[in-house]
Every structure is written in structure tokens, then in C-alpha cells.
């Protein structure tokens, strides 16, 4: 059935405020690139050498004829003697492969102390050189000129902690299918674009004058006044798919523009949205093809995607047809990431966000609170930066765009806001995860995303999933260098909460874990209850310790508790029976504990 124009217009999950936001033109000014200073000559002064940084160790090279060059005992004695002269406690640690001696300074010394020790060594004619044993760190800081405006990647308050993940993964070897408006040529993306497809079958929607073909180029999705339904007004071309693609995989380290989250990944643009939106049937075929399935009349996909990004949606619950396509894609090993929607409503009333087997993403603003427009609810899995331009244009998400109001013009950059912008943050993170650990299944990916999220820095009413995604922690988890693997234990047995009555308890038995529970144990709670301020909620550990999740409040008159709490349960053994204790401490309201879960 054809979706009505007003409904299809809503498929592009981006608000009018975002579309009309000021475009940020690309600048031609190159950013300065921090570089390691060239090695100094051996005659460099001690003061300049030592001024660079405090040090914990020195590397000492002795001349070939020196006893210290051949004997560890002699090098050790020399370190002890030099230390006494400088008033420090030095210790020979070991011989390097070059024959140099590694000398421990005992404790971290200041610049002046290091300079004194180095002066003692330099004064010895048997010493060829002495240099600090410098600590090196991964150098993944992009030199992209607009990177400093991408708060969503790195800001401590509400950024997604992306840079720390780049030393482990950049998304190499992973293709992300962006099911959207297609792609308009942009030099900050072109190197990471691979073949896609135009799935729009109706020429009235496609704008490009034909139906399906192998060219996913975005001709523009502008529309004249009320062309998409009475009262819809007019709209300029959004270049929405290009903005989404830039967040995922803009070329990075190229001295221009923005940085992509998974800048080593490839983007396969699949065009399903045109004038006034797009049909479910086209989207279903795009999902199928992207994940390696067969679509009649369409050549086999040579760029099968392990991640699908759908920053789109419409009113109404998920249909069997859409669910079937998503389930088949997931069964083929593709993770499907979808936008929660921008109606400030429960996401259960929209599709594909209400479908199963998806990663449903809500949007947060620059303070880490749920963005004012973002949908919410128990179906939300995770939150990510989506921006909020009502607090200032720079509060939006900056990415690749085009200056054309109707047809393509010059390439540009712009701030947008929306769950459409939050979704590619998670799709990019999934690409990083798949690159770091190709064996991950979609279920394991979802679990790890949730288990390694951090509590929202701000507030969320209605349910924002497991919290704000943390790229570094999540990539570390799936690559075996940290974080949590995300095993979840769930209770779905409803339990009545009596009005002003005794506390009730719902148990979950945890088994098969080793050691203690994590310091970031996630406790997901779904309680239906009018005037939730009446409720007190505690987590009870197997040993009987109680962790207060929610206190009562006479001023909290909102309904329901749909949220995920983070508990430091590192002192508790993981295995055993955990309980959620709920009590209504005031009169006039009753409710039900619908479900709860623990994610380790």
C-alpha cells in the first residue's frame, strides 16, 4: 500500500530546524599537525634535552671500549655511582638489543632532577649518549580541519569517546550499507564509497526520471509547496544520506573537513528515499540485498554489508514484511541499526524502530540529556549524540553535505540534528567492532554495546536504553583488551506492586560467570506505575547487600520507570540469585514490574 505523502515525508528523520540550520562551508586553511621533533644532535645541551618532559628511565649508550658496554655488573655499579653524585637512587634494569643500558630513576623525577642525572652521564667520557626512555602513545588524532567542531566524537561530557578506539580499530574490512537518499559526490567521502544501488521503483519518487538502477546518486529530494500533502509546505533537498555517510566513514587524516567514526570502513549507498519519502517495499529489498540476499532483477551484491544504517522511519508498528527482511538480514550476520524517531514519543509507535532484531538508537544533546525531539521507550537499546541546534548551531552534528537547494551544487559541511544523526554514530561503532573482531554476531554486538555504555551524563525521561555508547570501552571489550562482553540475564515474569504495601522481589539466577560482578553492572528496569515518585527500587546481591537504584520523591509525578541503572557491584560474586526489590511507599497508585535484566 502506498504510504500517504504526509507520512512518507516523515521518513527522513530530521527536523525542519535541522534542515534550515546554517551550512558550514569547508575551509581551505590547513590545520597544523603536531609532529615529533627531529632527533637532536649529540651535542644538544642537557637543559634542552631534559626540558621536554619528566622521565622514569634513561637509555645510556656507552662507547665500545667501556667496561659498562660489555658488563651488566659494571653498568649497574656505574648507575649507582652516578646516582650518588646526583643525589638520586638509580638502578640498572637491563641491556637493550643495541647494547645500551636501561637505567631506572627510581621514582618519577622532575625536569631539573632528570637534567642533573643526565649531566652526570654526559660528563663521563665513556658515555656515547644518554636520552630519556620516552613513553609513546598511539597517534590517531586527526588533522581534519573541522575535527575540533565534532564534539560528538571526543568531548568528555557527552561525546562518544571515539578517538581512544582508533588505536585498536578504524573499521577496515567492513562495509556499511547506508539505506537512505543515496550519495552526492563529496571529496571527503569519495575514497570510502563503494558500489551501491538505487532501489526506488516509482519514478514519481525517484526524481531522477527512472526506476531501479545501479546508480545511487542523490539528485535531490526537494518538493514544492504541499506536494507531499496538505500543510506540508515546501522543502529543500536534504542530502541526508551523504550527511549520514560522513558521520560513519568520512576520510580522516586528509587535512580537510571532518573525521569519520569508522574511517577505514567502506560505505555502500542504497537509495530508497526520494521526493516525499520512500516505500516499505523498496526499503525491504534494500535490506535484503545489502545483507547478501537475492532480489529479483537486481545483480548480486559484491559489497555485502555487515552493518546496515537506517536513519529513516514512519508512523505505525513494524509490519511482518519489514520484520521478515530484518530477521533474514540478521540471520545472514548483518547488524541492523535504526533511528528511534524524532516525534518526542514512544518509539513503539514507529517503524522500523519497533521491529525486533535491530539496534534502536535514541539521540542525546551536547549535555548528555535526551534530545528534546528524540523518541524514547523500552524498545530503545542505546543512545548516541544526535545534537540539538535549538541551543546553538554548534550543538548539532557536523558532517558532509552539499550546498544545492534543489539539485547538487558544491560540496559543503553542515550541522544537522536528529536520531538520524545518532544512528550513524552507532553504525560506525559497530563497524569498528566488526573490524576488531570479525566473528561477532549481531546479538553479541548488541550485548557489548549495552554492557559498555556509560550512564547518561544528563537526564532522560521515558527510556533511553543502556546509556550513552562508549566507543573505546566497547572496542576494547570485543578485542579482548578491556570492557565487558555483555552477557544478559532477564526476568520477564510480571509482578504486581501493591499500593502503599510491602516490598515485592523478583529473582534472577546468574550462573556460568567467573569471579565478581563488574564495576559497571547494568540493571535494566521496566515498571508500569502512575506517579513513579511513590516507588523505591533496590538491587539485592546474592550475599544480601542492597544497592539503591531509585528513591521515592514527592515531586516526581511522571509515569513508569523505564531505564537502565549502572551499579558498582565489583565486591559481589557474580553467580547466585540477584533480586530486584520494589516497594510503593505512598497511597493511591498501583503498578507492575514487567521485566528486569542484568547485563554483565
Amino acid at each position: 500500500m502506498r504510504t500517504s505523502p504526509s507520512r512518507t515525508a516523515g521518513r527522513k528523520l530530521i527536523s525542519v530546524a535541522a534542515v534550515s540550520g546554517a551550512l558550514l562551508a569547508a575551509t581551505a586553511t590547513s590545520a597544523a599537525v603536531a609532529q615529533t621533533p627531529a632527533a637532536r644532535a649529540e651535542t644538544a645541551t642537557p637543559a634542552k634535552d631534559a626540558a621536554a618532559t619528566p622521565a622514569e628511565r634513561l637509555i645510556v649508550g656507552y662507547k665500545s671500549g667501556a667496561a659498562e658496554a660489555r658488563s651488566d655488573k659494571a653498568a649497574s655499579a656505574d648507575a649507582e655511582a652516578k646516582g650518588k653524585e646526583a643525589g638520586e637512587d638509580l638502578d640498572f634494569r637491563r641491556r637493550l638489543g643495541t647494547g645500551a643500558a636501561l637505567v631506572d630513576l627510581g621514582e618519577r623525577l622532575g625536569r631539573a632532577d632528570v637534567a642533573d642525572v643526565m649531566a652526570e652521564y654526559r660528563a663521563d667520557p665513556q658515555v656515547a649518549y644518554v636520552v630519556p626512555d620516552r613513553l609513546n602513545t598511539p597517534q590517531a588524532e586527526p588533522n581534519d580541519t573541522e575535527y575540533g567542531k565534532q564534539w560528538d566524537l571526543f568531548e568528555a561530557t557527552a561525546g562518544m569517546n571515539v578517538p581512544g578506539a582508533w588505536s585498536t580499530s578504524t573499521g577496515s574490512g567492513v562495509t556499511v550499507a547506508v539505506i537512505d537518499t543515496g550519495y552526492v559526490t563529496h571529496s571527503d567521502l569519495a575514497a570510502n564509497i563503494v558500489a551501491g544501488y538505487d532501489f526506488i521503483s516509482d519514478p514519481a519518487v525517484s526524481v531522477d526520471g527512472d526506476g531501479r538502477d545501479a546508480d545511487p546518486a542523490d539528485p535531490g529530494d526537494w518538493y514544492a509547496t504541499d506536494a507531499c500533502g496538505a500543510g506540508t509546505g515546501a522543502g529543500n533537498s536534504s542530502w541526508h544520506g551523504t550527511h549520514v555517510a560522513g558521520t560513519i566513514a568520512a576520510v580522516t587524516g586528509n587535512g580537510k573537513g571532518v573525521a569519520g567514526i569508522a574511517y577505514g570502513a567502506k560505505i555502500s549507498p542504497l537509495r530508497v528515499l526520494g521526493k516525499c519519502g520512500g516505500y516499505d517495499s523498496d526499503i525491504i529489498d534494500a535490506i535484503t540485498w545489502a545483507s547478501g540476499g537475492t532480489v529479483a532483477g537486481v545483480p548480486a551484491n559484491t559489497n555485502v554489508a555487515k552493518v546496515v544504517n537506517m536513519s529513516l522511519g514512519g508512523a505505525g508498528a513494524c509490519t511482518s514484511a519489514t520484520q521478515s527482511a530484518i530477521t533474514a538480514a540478521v540471520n545472514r550476520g548483518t547488524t541492523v541499526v535504526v533511528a528511534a524517531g524524532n516525534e518526542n514519543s514512544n518509539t513503539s509507535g514507529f517503524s522500523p524502530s519497533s521491529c525486533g532484531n535491530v539496534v534502536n538508537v535514541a539521540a542525546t544533546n551536547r549535555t548528555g540529556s535526551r534530545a528534546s525531539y528524540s523518541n524514547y521507550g523500552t524498545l530503545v537499546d542505546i543512545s548516541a549524540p544526535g545534537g540539538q541546534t535549538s541551543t546553538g548551531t554548534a550543538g548539532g552534528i557536523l558532517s558532509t553535505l552539499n550546498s544545492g537547494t534543489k539539485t547538487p551544487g558544491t560540496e559543503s559541511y553542515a550541522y544537522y540534528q536528529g536520531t538520524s544523526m545518532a544512528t550513524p554514530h552507532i553504525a560506525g561503532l559497530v563497524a569498528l567492532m566488526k573490524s576488531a573482531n570479525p566473528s561477532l554476531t549481531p546479538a553479541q554486538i548488541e550485548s557489548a554495546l549495552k554492557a559498555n555504555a556509560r550512564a547518561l551524563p544528563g537526564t532522560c525521561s521515558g527510556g533511553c536504553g543502556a546509556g550513552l555508547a562508549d566507543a573505546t570501552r566497547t572496542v576494547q571489550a570485543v578485542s579482548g583488551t578491556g570492557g565487558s562482553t555483555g552477557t544478559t540475564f532477564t526476568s520477564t515474569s510480571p509482578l504486581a506492586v501493591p499500593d502503599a504495601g510491602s516490598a515485592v522481589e523478583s529473582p534472577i539466577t546468574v550462573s556460568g560467570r567467573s569471579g565478581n560482578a563488574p564495576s559497571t553492572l547494568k540493571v535494566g528496569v521496566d515498571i508500569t506505575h502512575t506517579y513513579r515518585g511513590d516507588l523505591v527500587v533496590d538491587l539485592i546481591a546474592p550475599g544480601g547487600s542492597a544497592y539503591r537504584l531509585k528513591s521515592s520523591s514527592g515531586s516526581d509525578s511522571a509515569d513508569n520507570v523505564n531505564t537502565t541503572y549502572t551499579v558498582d557491584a565489583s565486591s559481589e560474586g557474580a553467580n547466585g540469585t540477584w533480586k530486584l526489590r520494589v516497594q510503593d511507599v505512598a497511597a493511591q497508585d498501583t503498578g507492575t514490574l514487567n521485566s528486569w535484566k542484568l547485563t554483565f
Side-chain angles (χ1 to χ4, degrees):
M1 182 176 109
R2 180 182 178 122
T3 308
S4 67
S6 60
R7 194 170 284 180
T8 53
R11 288 187 182 278
K12 297 186 292 296
L13 292 181
I14 185 166
S15 70
V16 173
V19 175
S20 61
L23 299 183
L24 177 69
T27 68
T29 304
S30 297
V33 182
Q35 298 180 4
T36 303
R40 298 181 183 274
E42 295 300 337
T43 56
T45 64
K48 287 186 178 181
D49 260 348
T53 180
E56 296 178 348
R57 291 181 292 270
L58 298 177
I59 300 173
V60 182
Y62 291 94
K63 294 179 180 178
S64 58
E68 294 86 354
R70 302 184 303 273
S71 167
D72 290 353
K73 183 176 181 180
S76 179
D78 190 44
E80 183 177 352
K82 296 286 196 302
K84 286 182 179 179
E85 290 295 328
E88 305 294 347
D89 185 15
L90 306 189
D91 182 33
F92 171 78
R93 292 286 298 274
R94 62 182 172 86
R95 187 77 59 180
L96 304 188
T98 59
L102 182 63
V103 177
D104 196 324
L105 297 178
E107 58 183 86
R108 191 170 179 83
L109 304 182
R111 291 181 176 85
D113 296 326
V114 172
D116 289 344
V117 173
M118 293 179 71
E120 290 295 330
Y121 274 105
R122 283 203 174 92
D124 186 341
Q126 298 301 313
V127 172
Y129 61 86
V130 57
V131 295
D133 184 18
R134 296 178 302 190
L135 181 66
N136 294 271
T137 57
Q139 298 299 300
E141 187 78 359
N143 64 2
D144 304 73
T145 54
E146 306 304 320
Y147 175 68
K149 299 172 182 177
Q150 293 181 271
W151 62 268
D152 45 307
L153 303 191
F154 60 79
E155 275 193 358
T157 300
M160 213 173 73
N161 197 16
V162 173
W166 286 332
S167 59
T168 302
S169 174
T170 63
S172 177
V174 178
T175 296
V176 181
V178 174
I179 299 179
D180 213 292
T181 63
Y183 163 68
V184 62
T185 301
H186 199 295
S187 64
D188 210 9
L189 260 174
N192 284 338
I193 298 293
V194 296
Y197 208 82
D198 182 354
F199 278 92
I200 301 179
S201 54
D202 185 344
V205 176
S206 70
V207 184
D208 61 3
D210 56 26
R212 291 183 173 180
D213 56 45
D215 182 9
D218 185 350
D221 56 355
W222 67 277
Y223 53 93
T225 301
D226 292 349
C228 295
T232 59
N236 292 333
S237 291
S238 67
W239 317 114
H240 190 264
T242 301
H243 195 281
V244 167
T247 297
I248 298 170
V251 177
T252 300
N254 60 341
K256 66 175 292 184
V258 295
I261 291 171
Y263 59 82
K266 300 300 182 184
I267 297 292
S268 175
L270 306 186
R271 188 165 178 256
V272 298
L273 301 179
K275 181 179 179 181
C276 301
Y279 292 104
D280 281 349
S281 55
D282 291 340
I283 294 169
I284 287 167
D285 279 351
I287 295 169
T288 302
W289 190 80
S291 58
T294 300
V295 176
V298 180
N301 186 2
T302 58
N303 297 296
V304 174
K306 290 304 179 185
V307 190
V308 163
N309 186 101
M310 290 202 291
S311 292
L312 49 78
C318 181
T319 66
S320 300
T322 299
Q323 184 64 70
S324 177
I326 290 172
T327 300
V330 170
N331 288 342
R332 284 188 284 269
T334 298
T335 299
V336 180
V337 186
V338 304
N342 296 341
E343 290 76 22
N344 188 27
S345 300
N346 196 302
T347 192
S348 62
F350 300 87
S351 179
S353 61
S354 60
C355 296
N357 288 330
V358 300
V359 178
N360 187 341
V361 186
T364 52
N365 59 26
R366 198 166 181 173
T367 65
S369 293
R370 178 172 69 85
S372 59
Y373 55 79
S374 178
N375 286 354
Y376 51 81
T378 57
L379 294 181
V380 171
D381 294 303
I382 196 84
S383 294
Q388 189 162 327
T389 57
S390 63
T391 58
T393 302
I397 304 300
L398 183 65
S399 188
T400 46
L401 211 75
N402 190 277
S403 64
T405 57
K406 292 184 177 180
T407 58
T410 57
E411 63 179 45
S412 64
Y413 300 84
Y415 291 96
Y416 272 5
Q417 68 172 13
T419 54
S420 277
M421 284 59 256
T423 306
H425 282 77
I426 299 302
L429 174 50
V430 173
L432 295 179
M433 296 165 71
K434 282 292 289 185
S435 180
N437 185 349
S439 67
L440 290 172
T441 67
Q444 290 170 331
I445 285 171
E446 182 177 339
S447 291
L449 285 168
K450 293 177 179 179
N452 294 287
R454 58 190 175 101
L456 288 187
T459 61
C460 172
S461 57
C464 287
L468 180 63
D470 187 310
T472 296
R473 179 177 165 84
T474 305
V475 170
Q476 287 175 343
V478 301
S479 63
T481 59
S484 168
T485 56
T487 303
T488 300
F489 299 83
T490 305
S491 171
T492 57
S493 300
L495 184 64
V497 180
D499 184 29
S502 301
V504 295
E505 293 183 343
S506 173
I508 289 178
T509 299
V510 174
S511 61
R513 305 291 299 176
S514 60
N516 285 2
S519 59
T520 55
L521 178 64
K522 305 293 184 181
V523 187
V525 178
D526 177 6
I527 301 173
T528 300
H529 191 285
T530 52
Y531 208 102
R532 66 184 178 207
D534 292 355
L535 298 178
V536 175
V537 183
D538 294 293
L539 176 68
I540 311 300
S545 300
Y547 296 85
R548 178 58 51 89
L549 305 181
K550 179 189 177 302
S551 300
S552 61
S553 171
S555 61
D556 187 0
S557 61
D559 296 341
N560 308 329
V561 178
N562 295 292
T563 192
T564 299
Y565 301 96
T566 300
V567 174
D568 182 356
S570 57
S571 63
E572 309 289 344
N575 289 334
T577 300
W578 297 75
K579 299 177 182 178
L580 192 74
R581 178 184 294 163
V582 183
Q583 185 174 13
D584 183 337
V585 297
Q588 299 183 355
D589 296 276
T590 60
T592 302
L593 170 59
N594 300 309
S595 64
W596 71 288
K597 59 187 177 182
L598 295 170
T599 302
F600 288 83

